[in-house]
Amino acid sequence: MSSFNTYWGYEKIKRILIGTSPRVHFCGAGGVGIYSLVRLSHERGFLVSASDRARGEYTEMLEKAGIRVSYSADRAAVCTAALVVYSLAVDERDEELLYARTLGIPTV
């Protein structure tokens, strides 16, 4: 979790959220890259939620850390987020991404 890429990603999230709500929704949280960003953001005080298509080792660790993880499209989490962060494994036509963009919520 302390890799340069994770830190860079966290810093990018922090810059985007300056002056806005600290709520971030993460899509594709079952992969190691997004998992690390979710944990780091959570530990640094951001209000986070996450989603993935399937349960796995990383999503279970997020749940044990008290982070809400959805296994289907979670419009409620998206509409309350100031930012939606997604993995490259998430399809550009993903329902959560499209919904966020429709609402004008930045996606990274």
Side-chain angles (χ1 to χ4, degrees), residues 43-99:
E43 289 169 8
R44 298 284 173 98
F46 288 100
L47 303 172
V48 299
S49 57
S51 67
D52 202 283
R53 288 182 280 173
R55 290 185 187 279
E57 176 185 357
Y58 293 116
T59 57
E60 288 177 8
M61 288 190 288
L62 292 174
E63 289 176 328
K64 287 178 184 172
I67 297 166
R68 183 175 133 207
V69 179
S70 301
Y71 297 97
S72 61
D74 189 349
R75 287 180 169 230
V78 171
C79 74
T80 61
L83 175 68
V84 174
V85 178
Y86 63 99
S87 164
L88 293 176
V90 173
D91 190 297
E92 287 291 325
R93 295 168 295 177
D94 178 80
E95 184 178 340
E96 290 180 331
L97 288 182
L98 294 175
Y99 186 56

Side-chain angles (χ1 to χ4, degrees), residues 1-10:
M1 231 171 53
S2 61
S3 76
F4 174 77
N5 287 334
T6 299
Y7 180 77
W8 179 87
Y10 168 74

